[in-house]
Amino acid sequence: MSVSDLTPLSSPAGAQVRAVHDEFHGDLLEVSMGPHHPSTHGVFRMIVTLDGETIVKLKPVFGYLHRNHEKLGENTTYLASMPYTDRLDYLNSMTNNWAYAVAVEKLAGLAVPERAEYVRVILAEMTRLLNHTCLAGFLMQDCGCMGTPLMYAFREREKILDLFEALSGSRMMCNYQRFGGCRVDPSPEWIAGVRQLVEAYGPFLDEFEALLSGNEIIMARTQGVGRLAPELAVSAGVTGPVLRATGVAHDLRKVDAYGVYPKFDFRVPLGDHGDTYDRYMIRILEMRESISILRQALAALPGGPIMDPKAKLRGFRPKAGEAYGRIEGPKGEIGFYLISDGGPNPYRYRVRPPSFINLTILEDMCLGHTVADAVIILGSVDIVLGEVDR
């Protein structure tokens, strides 16, 4: 492909445009969206090659937010890395903490008290509600529904963040989990606040769905758009709602049965078409299952310690070995791979981030669609650049 000089064409804010010539397609247009384009959900760039309005090539470009997370983890004590995990998927620090704690607990052979396991499930499902609600709001914004859906989503998000702040002292960078349990025990008043939230969330979802799920404009913009085949999703390592929207029943809460999830009765919703609408609906259905899990966990929450009394956080030196811990985060499988040489820091520290893995099939979903479709397809993948770049 030969590239001409930059062509002074009008373009959206944050986009650069140039004419290109391809021996197979003829004259094409190359549009650079980002890294500060309003629809890229952060410092992310898409180089889109267009034949008219049709995408014939898409190259994702990232790395603008790289913070050397994994190398920092190899030069920091195990405990001191916990607040760094908050800054991966910075919407979902509670689940980041849990995945890292699982990896270290496997490495060190630590047990977790039953009460702490229940609290972890409660926080993880609250986080799932928070993430999926925000995803729906942002996706509607990408579709052109300005204002109302996103404001409704953020109204509910604030209620969850208020509870996170009351428990951990921070709204987003919670730093709450510990190896062998949790940092502080939830008070009865906090548990009552969660019950109140859970009982109000169902009616909110009913209202949200009445506004969006059957809206003919939303359906026209999303149905049949950005289809993903289950075979490609599996071979690319895609996980989470993006995978389940293709009809593949893979949820680590069922597959690994970690924590106390086997004690709860819940379904794993699946899609039929693997398109943008299915990815939206999977999140809505998963939120309803999260409400069911929360009700069960709150009803059965046991007493007892919140931390394993044998867990020593100061001078923590797990024996030499390796471990991989993973959980079903809101965006998919988030995992940590650790190698210990017996020292105070991990010898190797690696993150398996769902946003990064799920982003690898973006071009496959966008080919043959328009630029406007690419915006909502990207939104339906649900990425956070903090864990894409790390």
Side-chain angles (χ1 to χ4, degrees):
M1 179 181 291
S2 62
V3 181
S4 72
D5 296 332
L6 283 173
T7 308
L9 301 174
S10 61
S11 62
Q16 294 177 335
V17 181
R18 61 181 177 180
V20 299
H21 182 80
D22 182 87
E23 58 184 314
F24 299 108
H25 296 94
D27 291 331
L28 302 174
L29 206 62
E30 188 178 88
V31 181
S32 176
M33 300 176 63
H36 293 289
H37 193 277
S39 68
T40 55
H41 298 269
V43 280
F44 172 65
R45 183 183 180 202
M46 294 186 292
I47 302 176
V48 186
T49 305
L50 302 172
D51 181 2
E53 278 287 310
T54 303
I55 296 172
V56 297
K57 182 179 179 182
L58 186 148
K59 179 182 178 182
V61 182
F62 34 81
Y64 300 98
L65 198 62
H66 179 61
R67 293 156 297 160
N68 212 26
H69 177 100
E70 291 159 329
K71 188 53 67 176
L72 283 172
E74 294 170 5
N75 292 275
T76 307
T77 63
Y78 288 89
L79 180 59
S81 286
M82 183 64 78
Y84 284 116
T85 67
D86 291 337
R87 288 145 176 87
L88 290 167
D89 180 355
Y90 36 75
L91 287 178
N92 300 320
S93 69
M94 288 293 191
T95 46
N96 299 344
N97 289 176
W98 190 5
Y100 178 56
V102 167
V104 177
E105 286 157 3
K106 284 186 176 181
L107 190 64
L110 294 174
V112 180
E114 188 179 32
R115 180 174 175 84
E117 293 282 22
Y118 271 81
V119 171
R120 287 179 172 184
V121 166
I122 290 169
L123 293 171
E125 297 309 315
M126 290 172 65
T127 300
R128 206 174 313 277
L129 290 176
L130 180 156
N131 181 88
H132 290 356
T133 303
C134 289
L135 177 278
F138 282 125
L139 183 60
M140 295 306 113
Q141 182 110 332
D142 291 337
C143 287
C145 302
M146 306 301 288
T148 302
L150 185 61
M151 292 301 101
Y152 280 176
F154 268 60
R155 179 191 68 188
E156 301 307 309
R157 174 180 182 253
E158 287 299 302
K159 297 173 184 177
I160 297 175
L161 292 183
D162 286 345
L163 288 166
F164 283 175
E165 182 180 24
L167 180 64
S168 71
S170 177
R171 296 169 65 78
M172 294 180 67
M173 307 294 118
C174 297
N175 185 24
Y176 177 72
Q177 309 289 352
R178 290 294 181 266
F179 318 135
C182 303
R183 179 156 55 90
V184 295
D185 197 358
S187 67
E189 293 77 16
W190 189 86
I191 297 297
V194 177
R195 287 197 175 97
Q196 184 177 2
L197 171 84
V198 169
E199 294 310 312
Y201 227 89
F204 158 70
L205 282 180
D206 294 340
E207 178 186 30
F208 211 46
E209 275 212 83
L211 178 66
L212 302 174
S213 297
N215 185 290
E216 61 183 26
I217 299 175
I218 298 301
M219 295 171 72
R221 287 298 313 279
T222 58
Q223 289 185 342
V225 174
R227 287 180 183 269
L228 177 62
E231 298 80 11
L232 175 59
V234 171
S235 65
V238 171
T239 56
V242 178
L243 174 64
R244 291 189 286 274
T246 69
V248 178
H250 180 83
D251 187 315
L252 293 179
R253 295 173 295 176
K254 295 284 190 179
V255 174
D256 286 1
Y258 61 90
V260 289
Y261 276 112
K263 295 178 181 286
F264 307 127
D265 180 25
F266 65 98
R267 299 179 304 113
V268 176
L270 302 177
D272 293 321
H273 308 98
D275 58 10
T276 298
Y277 188 80
D278 274 5
R279 290 190 284 275
Y280 157 75
M281 279 305 305
I282 287 295
R283 268 87 176 207
I284 297 294
L285 295 173
E286 286 192 358
M287 283 194 279
R288 296 196 181 277
E289 295 303 313
S290 291
I291 291 171
S292 174
I293 293 171
L294 283 165
R295 285 180 177 143
Q296 295 173 66
L298 290 166
L301 180 64
I306 201 73
M307 274 286 295
D308 180 0
K310 298 179 181 178
K312 296 180 180 179
L313 300 183
R314 291 190 177 184
F316 184 72
R317 291 173 178 260
K319 62 182 181 180
E322 61 181 334
Y324 178 67
R326 63 180 187 173
I327 69 166
E328 184 67 38
K331 293 176 172 61
E333 177 184 331
I334 176 168
F336 290 82
Y337 174 65
L338 303 172
I339 298 178
S340 170
D341 60 1
N345 309 335
Y347 176 72
R348 285 288 181 268
Y349 176 111
R350 293 291 180 269
V351 184
R352 194 273 184 205
S355 289
F356 175 72
I357 304 296
N358 293 352
L359 192 58
T360 60
I361 40 78
L362 180 62
E363 181 182 44
D364 300 274
M365 293 193 292
C366 290
L367 291 179
H369 291 293
T370 65
V371 175
D373 291 334
V375 169
I376 64 172
I377 292 168
L378 173 64
S380 72
V381 175
D382 190 12
I383 63 169
V384 164
L385 270 297
E387 71 176 17
V388 170
D389 292 340
R390 303 184 300 290

